[in-house]
Amino acid sequence: MLFPYTESRQIELRPTGVKDAAKVYDILFRLGHSGLPVIDRFVDTFGQGLSACFLVHRKDTGEVVGFSTLSELAPAGHLKADVHLAGQPDEIRTDAAALTVNFAFAMWRTRKVYFHATDPGIESLGFAEPHALMVEAEAVLPRHTYFHGQVLDVHVFAIYREAWDVHGVDLLKHIV
């Protein structure tokens, strides 16, 4: 039985809602996400389609350094995770990704959690060696997204519950 941890030694995932939509918009804007709607529309539709949304707070500074979401919960037992951080060390990215994935497995009868990334390396997700063992590359969507004047491939990665139960639980023991 997994526990839905929302804190590590370094960060805290705090549930967020419409009241923090402007803060989330600012994070996406600073990360350079193209295609953002005007802020009023973003605030009005914030949270639609999300199963969970968290602001990522650093414990040492109290600063909001990003956010993470879980969405597209499917009857087939999978959902999508996104972790948006900028300028943070790998340990912060690992903690945010691990807590988000663990929350998904702890809260729902989820079979696998997907990540979509334009970077083909698993390290960009926050799961460098030795934690990369639990991440599987599932697909590449060629020339699938447009970002800053470039058409990029989207890489689809998955973490299966069975792999999380072995490797993810060990990771959690080191960060919480």
Side-chain angles (χ1 to χ4, degrees), residues 119-154:
D119 187 328
I122 292 170
E123 304 80 26
S124 69
L125 304 177
F127 297 108
E129 293 296 336
H131 312 299
L133 296 171
M134 67 183 151
V135 182
E136 292 189 29
E138 290 221 334
V140 177
L141 306 173
R143 304 176 53 79
H144 187 72
T145 193
Y146 181 82
F147 187 69
H148 289 282
Q150 292 183 305
V151 179
L152 303 169
D153 296 343
V154 171

Side-chain angles (χ1 to χ4, degrees), residues 97-166:
L99 290 174
T100 301
V101 169
N102 184 70
F103 190 87
F105 286 129
M107 294 302 292
W108 297 287
R109 295 182 56 89
T110 303
R111 191 171 57 83
K112 64 180 164 177
V113 175
Y114 284 115
F115 282 91
H116 293 186
T118 56
D119 187 328
I122 292 170
E123 304 80 26
S124 69
L125 304 177
F127 297 108
E129 293 296 336
H131 312 299
L133 296 171
M134 67 183 151
V135 182
E136 292 189 29
E138 290 221 334
V140 177
L141 306 173
R143 304 176 53 79
H144 187 72
T145 193
Y146 181 82
F147 187 69
H148 289 282
Q150 292 183 305
V151 179
L152 303 169
D153 296 343
V154 171
H155 301 266
V156 180
F157 299 98
I159 299 175
Y160 286 80
R161 179 179 289 274
E162 295 82 18
W164 187 258
D165 288 344
V166 174

Side-chain angles (χ1 to χ4, degrees), residues 66-123:
F67 73 99
S68 69
T69 62
L70 294 166
S71 61
E72 302 175 26
L73 183 59
H78 50 81
L79 54 76
K80 183 177 175 225
D82 287 297
V83 178
H84 301 276
L85 300 171
Q88 296 301 308
D90 291 341
E91 304 83 48
I92 299 294
R93 181 170 302 284
T94 298
D95 285 14
L99 290 174
T100 301
V101 169
N102 184 70
F103 190 87
F105 286 129
M107 294 302 292
W108 297 287
R109 295 182 56 89
T110 303
R111 191 171 57 83
K112 64 180 164 177
V113 175
Y114 284 115
F115 282 91
H116 293 186
T118 56
D119 187 328
I122 292 170
E123 304 80 26

